[in-house]
Amino acid sequence: QMTIDLALSTLDRVEGSLYGLYQQGRTVYNSFDNSEYKLCHSDLIRTGSHLTDQPPFNQFARIDGFDATNSSVRQIWNAYYIGLARANKTLDVVETVPVNEDVQEEVDRKNAVIAIAKFFRAYFHLSLIERWDNIVLADQVFDDPAYKGSLADPEDVYALIVSDLQEAIPDLPDA
């Protein structure tokens, strides 16, 4: 069995782990039951539409059970925090990955990994706070899987989002 430390022990392997961040970023859109949650109460989806055909959608449309009792809400919340855990682990280990500082391509690749991880950390935090307002700030690796942090001041969450994006932008790959 491969440990996380071994799996993330080289620059190639850390770059490969970024696919896990992209995958978590798409999680909400991969599930029919979860994909429309961001659209609820927008101009596209209103109460009385086809949303009432399924219980999670019905709860979204009526803003009823918009908490962990709704399976879609729970899945979305968990998916974003899994993404945050992956982003933070990437940021934690990338500093220990051996990189030849005399080879600009390696330095650029490492900086791109950091930028992508910070982008996704900002994305996951923004997705959480724009829907729930009160969230736990996940700005580090938490070694205890049962860690239950306290709710963060929204200003602190937005400050981290802005900081992560400002630091990421110069090194993000062109799209």
Side-chain angles (χ1 to χ4, degrees):
Q1 221 175 14
M2 184 179 288
T3 64
I4 290 176
D5 291 334
L6 179 59
L8 300 176
S9 62
T10 69
L11 186 56
D12 285 340
R13 290 176 180 175
V14 173
E15 285 176 319
S17 77
L18 293 175
Y19 290 108
L21 289 173
Y22 284 97
Q23 183 271 331
Q24 284 306 118
R26 290 190 304 264
T27 296
V28 170
Y29 306 101
N30 288 343
S31 163
F32 182 73
D33 286 343
N34 301 340
S35 63
E36 294 180 358
Y37 96 102
K38 283 192 173 189
L39 299 175
C40 288
H41 298 280
S42 70
D43 291 340
L44 300 175
I45 297 178
R46 297 258 183 229
T47 303
S49 69
H50 66 285
L51 286 182
T52 56
D53 294 344
Q54 295 186 356
F57 291 164
N58 194 0
Q59 287 178 309
F60 286 160
R62 292 182 293 111
I63 311 180
D64 174 39
F66 202 66
D67 57 28
T69 63
N70 180 309
S71 62
S72 290
V73 170
R74 186 174 53 255
Q75 290 169 11
I76 293 163
W77 177 273
N78 289 342
Y80 286 143
Y81 275 102
I82 289 169
L84 284 166
R86 289 179 181 177
N88 286 327
K89 185 64 176 178
T90 301
L91 291 168
D92 192 48
V93 300
V94 74
E95 296 301 334
T96 64
V97 171
V99 172
N100 185 342
E101 298 293 333
D102 296 329
V103 178
Q104 190 59 45
E105 182 215 1
E106 286 188 34
V107 172
D108 291 345
R109 287 172 55 204
K110 176 182 174 180
N111 290 341
V113 167
I114 294 168
I116 291 167
K118 286 191 175 195
F119 163 80
F120 275 108
R121 187 167 68 178
Y123 170 78
F124 295 133
H125 276 117
L126 181 62
S127 296
L128 285 162
I129 200 163
E130 69 183 359
R131 186 54 87 174
W132 283 284
D133 293 329
N134 297 308
I135 66 168
V136 175
L137 184 67
D139 60 349
Q140 61 183 317
V141 173
F142 298 104
D143 294 324
D144 179 4
Y147 174 80
K148 299 207 183 323
S150 57
L151 297 178
D153 183 332
E155 288 183 22
D156 294 338
V157 177
Y158 284 112
L160 180 64
I161 291 167
V162 169
S163 171
D164 277 351
L165 291 175
Q166 287 174 334
E167 291 173 22
I169 287 170
D171 295 313
L172 284 171
D174 291 336

